[in-house]
Amino acid sequence: MKQQEHFKFSTGVVAYPVFFVLIIWLVFWFEVRFGFNFSKYGIYPQSLKGLRGIFLSPFIHGDIKHIYHNTIPLFVLSIGLFYFYRPIAWKVILFGILFSGFLTWCIGRPSYHIGASGLIYVLISFTFFKGVFAKHYRLIALSLLVVFLYGSMIWHTLPIEKGISWEGHMAGLITGVLFALFFRKEIAKPKKYVWEQENYNEDNDPFLKHFDEDGNFVESNEPEIEQEQTKFNYIYKEESKDGE
């Protein structure tokens, strides 16, 4: 896949993350406005009824502090995802919700697990390891930015604080790594120079035909090379005039 197909700004880069975050806030507003509590629709591990939380839990939050702390990283990381990995962005989000949710259902404590933090850890993990695997300066820079902004969140994948679903965070982290490996072929790679390509042949290089084995410039009667040669001579003469 061509690099420009990845690094291309479009209205969806911002519109989709805004839409996703807006739905989360609308659900929270509905709870507060009409006095509902949707926590019972979260993930409840090892329970058939708790399976519905895999689909619903990312849209449910306990209080204003919970939803606020999830909104900003979700919005920022989603924008980065849709900008740098637009062709697979929806796959990462939708399957990220499913896989991380199911893993939380498998390993979680017998309690309701709610919030979009599992998806956030999917995006953090995916973005970081994808950039490392790509070996592309833009994606590596994005990975370093993610580490700078959210690197401290790695501690929340451990049971160090009560009331936090560290299992959901761990599930998201693992899912992100797996996605980075699975979608390796979708990684935008830096454009290679001609001589770095596998099918490169020195004998067919039009530039090298201008020079002999000792590196001296030679004349040529071939139309393509003659055209390049005329251009080369013109540039050389112009530079010589400037140097006088």
Side-chain angles (χ1 to χ4, degrees), residues 47-107:
S47 166
L48 290 177
K49 194 175 181 179
L51 283 171
R52 64 187 178 184
I54 294 176
F55 306 95
L56 302 176
S57 62
F59 304 96
I60 304 171
H61 292 80
D63 52 35
I64 189 69
K65 183 179 179 181
H66 188 198
I67 192 172
Y68 171 76
H69 284 301
N70 279 352
T71 297
I72 295 177
L74 181 62
F75 181 69
V76 172
L77 291 166
S78 296
I79 289 179
L81 181 71
F82 277 98
Y83 180 76
F84 289 98
Y85 305 107
R86 184 167 53 90
I88 59 173
W90 280 115
K91 292 181 182 178
V92 173
I93 290 178
L94 296 178
F95 288 112
I97 291 174
L98 295 178
F99 279 60
S100 63
F102 180 73
L103 189 56
T104 302
W105 184 85
C106 292
I107 67 175

Side-chain angles (χ1 to χ4, degrees), residues 86-224:
R86 184 167 53 90
I88 59 173
W90 280 115
K91 292 181 182 178
V92 173
I93 290 178
L94 296 178
F95 288 112
I97 291 174
L98 295 178
F99 279 60
S100 63
F102 180 73
L103 189 56
T104 302
W105 184 85
C106 292
I107 67 175
R109 292 162 292 171
S111 177
Y112 288 106
H113 298 255
I114 59 174
S117 55
L119 177 59
I120 291 172
Y121 275 83
V122 171
L123 298 180
I124 291 175
S125 177
F126 173 80
T127 304
F128 174 75
F129 288 103
K130 201 76 158 64
V132 173
F133 295 154
K135 298 180 181 179
H136 188 288
Y137 70 95
R138 286 190 181 184
L139 303 182
I140 292 176
L142 179 63
S143 297
L144 294 176
L145 180 62
V146 168
V147 170
F148 176 76
L149 293 175
Y150 305 114
S152 61
M153 293 178 68
I154 191 67
W155 297 110
H156 291 154
T157 60
L158 302 174
I160 58 176
E161 187 175 346
K162 292 183 178 180
I164 292 181
S165 176
W166 65 269
E167 299 96 330
H169 299 168
M170 178 63 73
L173 185 70
I174 294 172
T175 301
V177 175
L178 294 177
F179 281 12
L181 290 169
F182 182 78
F183 292 113
R184 288 192 71 172
K185 293 182 179 180
E186 302 289 338
I187 294 174
K189 296 182 180 179
K191 189 176 181 180
K192 291 185 176 182
Y193 292 103
V194 175
W195 57 84
E196 294 180 316
Q197 298 177 5
E198 294 180 0
N199 58 349
Y200 172 70
N201 188 344
E202 289 186 359
D203 296 331
N204 297 327
D205 192 324
F207 178 77
L208 294 180
K209 290 181 179 180
H210 289 291
F211 303 89
D212 59 20
E213 295 180 355
D214 298 324
N216 299 316
F217 184 77
V218 295
E219 300 290 335
S220 174
N221 295 324
E222 295 183 28
E224 295 182 1

